[in-house]
Amino acid sequence: MTPRELFFQLGADRRRQVHLSLCEDALPTWIGYIRGERAPLRYRDSVVGMRHHVDVELPADALRSARAGVDLADIGSRYLEPITALQDDDLALPDPAEFAYYAIYNCFRKYVRGDDIEDWLIVNQALSAHDDSEVASRLTRTIDDIGPTAVEN
């Protein structure tokens, strides 16, 4: 059975545990990117021309909120501008950092705001923060780590 098939055999609570674990595993990709930058991340809004600083703590704060199931630090409104900037190409990140950023954002949306986010989207984004050769083993290891009773019929 493929890791994807194993994932979809999990119940909703176990899929949530996998999502949170994969996002926790993707967070260091974001942190590593930020630490490698020599200056604060900034971008210019193409609509009104305002300059913005990237809130580098936002993904970690969002992941804490997703774990708690409540918005602990005004995450919803803090994400509005940078997500728009990413979608408008005003903010450009290397693919692994961008995938980590989106995975955590979508995990927050699903488990805090209750948005209808496809389960596989979060898995795919979180795994895309890493080298392609590690994807299957990371997912399998994460599923195994949540325990042998994880697969539900």
Side-chain angles (χ1 to χ4, degrees), residues 76-144:
S77 64
R78 287 169 57 198
Y79 257 114
L80 290 175
E81 176 55 40
I83 289 296
T84 300
L86 282 168
Q87 293 170 347
D88 291 347
D89 293 325
D90 293 337
L91 173 60
L93 301 170
D95 285 346
E98 186 170 337
F99 281 122
Y101 196 82
Y102 270 115
I104 294 167
Y105 172 64
N106 284 323
C107 192
F108 166 82
R109 289 177 57 209
K110 183 173 189 73
Y111 296 112
V112 175
R113 294 188 351 196
D115 293 350
D116 186 21
I117 305 295
E118 291 291 325
D119 285 338
W120 191 250
L121 177 65
I122 298 168
V123 171
N124 191 42
Q125 288 172 332
L127 291 172
S128 294
H130 305 286
D131 187 80
D132 287 346
S133 66
E134 302 173 12
V135 168
S137 62
R138 279 182 184 272
L139 181 54
T140 300
R141 184 175 58 248
T142 301
I143 291 169
D144 289 347

Side-chain angles (χ1 to χ4, degrees), residues 10-100:
L10 302 175
D13 185 57
R14 300 292 187 181
R15 284 194 305 271
R16 177 181 183 274
Q17 291 175 32
V18 169
H19 285 149
L20 291 169
S21 181
L22 289 174
C23 286
E24 190 74 42
D25 198 29
L27 184 60
T29 299
W30 169 255
I31 293 169
Y33 168 66
I34 294 305
R35 287 189 179 148
E37 289 298 299
R38 297 175 191 252
L41 284 178
R42 298 178 189 169
Y43 61 94
R44 184 176 303 276
D45 180 326
S46 62
V47 176
V48 294
M50 289 182 60
R51 291 188 66 73
H52 300 275
H53 285 74
V54 174
D55 180 351
V56 297
E57 297 299 322
L58 183 54
D61 290 347
L63 188 53
R64 276 190 292 279
S65 290
R67 283 199 178 284
V70 296
D71 191 340
L72 300 171
D74 196 29
I75 304 303
S77 64
R78 287 169 57 198
Y79 257 114
L80 290 175
E81 176 55 40
I83 289 296
T84 300
L86 282 168
Q87 293 170 347
D88 291 347
D89 293 325
D90 293 337
L91 173 60
L93 301 170
D95 285 346
E98 186 170 337
F99 281 122

